[in-house]
Amino acid sequence: HTQGGVRSQEGIGTGVVWDSYGHVVTNYHVISKVDKSVLSQATKVLIAGVDGKGVVECNVELAGTDAVHDLAVLRIVGTTDGSAPPLQPIALGRSADLKVGQYSFAIGNTVGLTRTLSAGVISGLNRSIPSPVGTRIYGMVQTDASISAGNSGGPLLDSSARMVALNTATFTRSGTGRGSGVNFALPADLLLDVVPKLIVYGNAMGKL
């Protein structure tokens, strides 16, 4: 969908393995159209090994959501073939240390093409974009590394392969649906604050 000229794509996306307990972080808009009562039947997560091989299809349940920050956490509850998923938690960096002009790398399933990487630089910091519920998300990282359909929820990496932000949206030229090279990602420091609350409490308030 497009909101305020910023486009995000539902139904297809990427995620990152957050921890060894099988929590997967992605964008809320990726799973927002799925009926939560049948999410475990309607949603499958494909986990690839570190070498990109040995892809395993996993069953998941919803651990928590934060639509205000366009975040969702899924929990792997098993695999379709009974094997152990190859869980390799993402290495995290600090978005507070980012500088405009440093290299950035976006990984995701671009328009369904798995394990696609695009390169660019950090173009801006502390941007704001509309959230799925119409409020503003502040502190966004801007990059010209390509973010398109399927990249949502994937990692934006620095040169040390640490995730410094979560790919979220791209600014589209009005009436064309084409990206402009102006892309946005949720900062890692925000994830470090919100994701543990979603895992434990199911919400960003940190309360049951």
Side-chain angles (χ1 to χ4, degrees), residues 27-192:
N27 286 127
Y28 173 78
H29 71 256
V30 172
I31 56 95
S32 62
K33 299 300 182 183
V34 180
D35 185 335
K36 304 306 181 290
S37 65
V38 297
L39 182 139
S40 59
Q41 291 79 34
T43 304
K44 301 296 180 185
V45 170
L46 301 179
I47 301 289
V50 177
D51 57 1
K53 301 178 181 178
V55 176
V56 176
E57 185 178 88
C58 300
N59 300 312
V60 295
E61 63 183 11
L62 187 63
T65 62
D66 176 14
V68 171
H69 292 115
D70 201 0
L71 277 172
V73 177
L74 305 174
R75 183 183 297 111
I76 295 173
V77 294
T79 59
T80 55
D81 63 4
S83 63
L87 298 178
Q88 179 65 46
I90 192 82
L92 287 169
R94 293 297 304 273
S95 52
D97 297 331
L98 291 175
K99 300 290 189 293
V100 172
Q102 77 177 75
Y103 291 119
S104 59
F105 306 88
I107 296 179
N109 302 313
T110 304
V111 293
L113 300 174
T114 60
R115 297 189 294 278
T116 297
L117 180 143
S118 61
V121 297
I122 300 298
S123 309
L125 299 168
N126 296 315
R127 306 303 197 201
S128 71
I129 65 170
S131 77
V133 293
T135 56
R136 304 292 295 183
I137 308 175
Y138 295 95
M140 297 294 290
V141 176
Q142 180 185 335
T143 179
D144 65 353
S146 179
I147 295 177
S148 56
N151 273 46
S152 292
L156 185 72
L157 306 175
D158 64 10
S159 296
S160 298
R162 298 171 300 193
M163 184 174 75
V164 292
L166 191 78
N167 303 331
T168 299
T170 184
F171 189 87
T172 58
R173 296 184 181 92
S174 179
T176 68
R178 296 178 181 176
S180 61
V182 180
N183 308 298
F184 303 97
L186 290 164
D189 292 356
L190 173 67
L191 305 182
L192 285 165

Side-chain angles (χ1 to χ4, degrees), residues 185-208:
L186 290 164
D189 292 356
L190 173 67
L191 305 182
L192 285 165
D193 176 51
V194 174
V195 170
K197 297 173 184 175
L198 298 183
I199 291 173
V200 175
Y201 300 103
N203 61 70
M205 299 298 293
K207 299 178 181 179
L208 294 174

